[in-house]
Amino acid sequence: MSLHLALADYDGKQVATLEEIRDSRAPTPEVLDEVIRISTAADGHVAAGATWLLRAWVEAGAVLTKSQMRALTSRLPEVNDPWARLHLCQTVRSLNVEPAHAEAFAGFLRSCRSSDRPFLRAWATDGLHALASAHPEYGAEATEAVEDALGDPAASVRARARRILDGR
């Protein structure tokens, strides 16, 4: 069964569905290619599920190839589902973002920082901080983002900023 078809059963809430998919497949190059391809699916639940899987596999040690990073980078502007955007923000800290892709990721994170969704703002700030760790040219922007987050009206955004400052 294709990954897209398996994700069609995901209702956007039952993480157990995603965990079952994650545990039943190895993150082979073909599976990672497919999950990147469907990260921009028109069905938001499919896109959110795909990015959740990508994040889970990358956090567990899967490494994207250069061509997979190019594919993911080219899709960033097309990721519209807020949960899919959140998962990608959370994934940045586990990715090896090459210099050629850093600005695309920075632009994506900037757009997420202006979201009306607090968790998206929080994790976009985290992602920008992680990006700046690998690409110092974003250091001043990341510092400003953390400072802004410390003054955010949402407690979750302020908490994430404090965790960034604590190194967590």
Side-chain angles (χ1 to χ4, degrees):
M1 175 187 308
S2 78
L3 191 55
H4 195 186
L5 190 57
L7 285 169
D9 290 336
Y10 176 56
D11 65 359
K13 298 178 183 171
Q14 298 296 322
V15 175
T17 303
L18 298 176
E19 291 170 339
E20 184 178 310
I21 295 169
R22 176 199 63 202
D23 295 343
S24 69
R25 287 174 166 74
T28 63
E30 295 78 20
V31 168
L32 291 172
D33 286 344
E34 186 177 3
V35 82
I36 291 167
R37 211 173 21 258
I38 61 178
S39 66
T40 57
D43 180 336
H45 295 275
V46 171
T51 55
W52 187 94
L53 290 168
L54 178 66
R55 178 180 58 100
W57 284 323
V58 169
E59 286 177 353
V63 177
L64 300 184
T65 64
K66 289 181 186 257
S67 68
Q68 289 167 335
M69 279 300 293
R70 274 193 307 275
L72 179 60
T73 301
S74 72
R75 283 178 163 65
L76 290 175
E78 302 168 32
V79 179
N80 295 316
D81 180 79
W83 290 105
R85 292 170 68 81
L86 172 68
H87 299 147
L88 291 175
C89 288
Q90 293 170 325
T91 305
V92 171
R93 63 176 38 225
S94 301
L95 290 173
N96 178 22
V97 178
E98 298 278 331
H101 306 298
E103 185 54 35
F105 273 91
F108 174 77
L109 295 165
R110 286 181 199 114
S111 71
C112 293
R113 279 191 57 224
S114 64
S115 173
D116 60 345
R117 295 174 181 257
F119 281 103
L120 192 47
R121 291 195 308 272
W123 283 99
T125 299
D126 185 270
L128 190 56
H129 182 265
L131 186 67
S133 293
H135 302 280
E137 62 270 26
Y138 297 102
E141 184 177 359
T143 299
E144 182 180 327
V146 172
E147 289 171 359
D148 289 348
L150 288 169
D152 195 279
S156 59
V157 179
R158 295 190 307 270
R160 173 63 18 212
R162 286 191 300 274
R163 286 179 166 257
I164 291 168
L165 292 174
D166 290 343
R168 295 183 276 156

